[in-house]
Amino acid sequence: MEVGNQSVVAGFVLLGLSDQPKLEKMFFVFILLMYLVILLGNGVIILVTILDSRLHTPMYFFLGNLSFLDICYATSSIPLVLDGFLTPKKTISFSGCAMQMFLSFAMGATECVLLGMMAFDRYVAICNPLRYPVVMSKAVYVPMAISSWVAGGANSLVQISLAVQLPFCGDNVINHFTCEILAVLKLACADISINVISMGVANVIFLGVPVLFISGSYVFIIATILRIPSAEGRKKAFSTCSAHLTVVVIFYGTILFMYAKPKSKDPLGADKQDLSDKLISLFYGVLTPMLNPIIYSLRNKHVKVAVKTLVSQKCFA
């Protein structure tokens, strides 16, 4: 298969944990169980936000989008990872690799924007409650959610289009569980400075800007909450945004941990770090989508009540 009139690589070999067969069996069970929890937990959140009329508000509309996004994000890579644990020869076609990169990149960028949208929703609800029905009307929050999906997809299309035009004419072994874009770019036999610059700009837009926006929103939210005279009022106000804040901290905290770690210069240490980086990236792709519905179910009383109602209706139907 030729790409950019120079590529001779028809597909890639995913290294994964090929040199650790015992770990493969153990991780297969762990990742499969976590994937099932992702499907079940996020599926229940989507159901209750659709079926329970009390949750037909902007906050829970965004939550339903987040749950659907988490299912898509996990499904874009976990089945490939599970198949790799069971298959001796872990290969993927060039087009399959490009599609997997596109979906993963799109879902990640979309989640960054969506979390920012959710922060704005909480800002308006707490800092301007009287104007909330007007500011966050259906004519506003639906286009906001759609724009986050469009922005994430457009960014991914740009990044992957630049990546697949590179010539891959040498080593085709990806030292990862999936077609992680940075691992793929390392295999290109051409200058990737344009790709690096493009991804740097995208990181500023889709990571830096949402972080600043979310941080600014919560400065105003916390200031407003502290001005509430009663302790009960402060507790009630904070409870409406504590789940979102927890999700934000886990999401961005994990990203910061992955990419801010110092790199080892020792060859033996570098090999161990490669394994560590792969496992951290793997669990990041599984842990965050799995924790989101659990956090919202435990920290949001409306979701908790809706889930209990749905379960009881199914049990006694």
Side-chain angles (χ1 to χ4, degrees), residues 165-188:
Q165 292 180 53
L166 292 169
F168 296 90
C169 49
D171 188 11
N172 70 334
V173 178
I174 299 174
N175 188 18
H176 214 280
F177 297 101
T178 62
C179 289
E180 202 271 337
I181 190 166
L182 294 177
V184 173
L185 290 178
K186 289 179 181 179
L187 303 181

Side-chain angles (χ1 to χ4, degrees), residues 148-171:
S148 67
W149 287 91
V150 172
N155 174 57
S156 182
L157 186 62
V158 170
Q159 305 304 329
I160 306 310
S161 296
L162 289 173
V164 298
Q165 292 180 53
L166 292 169
F168 296 90
C169 49
D171 188 11

Side-chain angles (χ1 to χ4, degrees), residues 131-153:
R131 296 189 61 208
Y132 184 75
V134 176
V135 176
M136 293 303 295
S137 65
K138 191 172 184 178
V140 174
Y141 70 76
V142 171
M144 285 174 65
I146 293 173
S147 67
S148 67
W149 287 91
V150 172

Side-chain angles (χ1 to χ4, degrees), residues 19 175 263-277:
D19 55 343
N175 188 18
K263 301 297 181 182
S264 174
K265 295 181 179 180
D266 176 62
L268 184 59
D271 290 339
K272 291 181 178 179
Q273 187 171 37
D274 282 342
L275 177 60
S276 172
D277 289 345

